[in-house]
Amino acid sequence: MINQDRPPSSPPRPLPASTPRQRNMQNAASASVGAVVTSLFVTPFEVLKVRQQACGSSGCGMVQLGQTLVRAEGATAFWAGLRPTLLMAVPSTVLYMGAYEHIRDAIQAAAARRRNGGGGALASLAPMLAGGSARVVTVVVAAPLELLRTRMQAAPAGGAADG
């Protein structure tokens, strides 16, 4: 039974509008957390992949390679190269998100100015064009760190510093 003696609850208050700077900080923080979590989960698989490629044609199996890795170097070897991975992933993700939004907004603004001259087609392509452009910028910046990370993952423990 509904209690009719109480006044109806007031509707929830809307959240205050955030400034562009606050949105940028929120995007950077969420991108950073996502990059860290992803790196923690993916790095062991990357290490196994790189070590398997280093085996060459001898046919190292993934499970056998994992067991050998744990016995020879310990479980922490699965996270070899994590530091450079994080040094690459966090700024790259933040750079990508910032570049994507900036480029997308610029394309959409240009499309809005050209509505009568085919701007609708440009606006519909904005996410794809912005994503591709932002990825190119990010790859150019991150390529040297990617090389360092791969070298660290391929080296046995003690053979190279873990950054």
Side-chain angles (χ1 to χ4, degrees), residues 60-97:
C60 300
M62 209 51 108
V63 173
Q64 179 187 10
L65 185 60
Q67 291 170 344
T68 304
L69 190 62
V70 169
R71 277 192 294 260
E73 300 175 37
T76 57
F78 283 109
W79 287 273
L82 181 62
R83 287 185 198 149
T85 298
L86 292 174
L87 287 172
M88 178 183 67
V90 172
S92 294
T93 304
V94 171
L95 174 64
Y96 174 81
M97 294 300 292

Side-chain angles (χ1 to χ4, degrees), residues 107 119-131:
I107 293 170
L122 183 59
S124 65
L125 293 174
M128 182 181 69
L129 295 172

Side-chain angles (χ1 to χ4, degrees), residues 27-64:
N27 288 344
S30 63
S32 297
V33 169
V36 168
V37 170
T38 300
S39 296
L40 288 172
F41 282 106
V42 171
T43 297
F45 297 106
E46 287 285 326
V47 168
L48 285 174
K49 178 191 79 169
V50 169
R51 297 282 180 101
Q52 190 175 34
Q53 290 170 343
C55 278
S57 61
S58 63
C60 300
M62 209 51 108
V63 173
Q64 179 187 10

Side-chain angles (χ1 to χ4, degrees), residues 4-5 19-20 23 40 50-51 62 70 88-89 98 125 129 138-141 143 145-146 148 150 155 162:
Q4 294 179 354
D5 295 336
T19 65
R23 281 192 303 274
L40 288 172
V50 169
R51 297 282 180 101
M62 209 51 108
V70 169
M88 178 183 67
L125 293 174
L129 295 172
T138 304
V139 166
V140 167
V141 171
L145 288 173
E146 177 75 23
L148 175 65
T150 303
D162 188 25

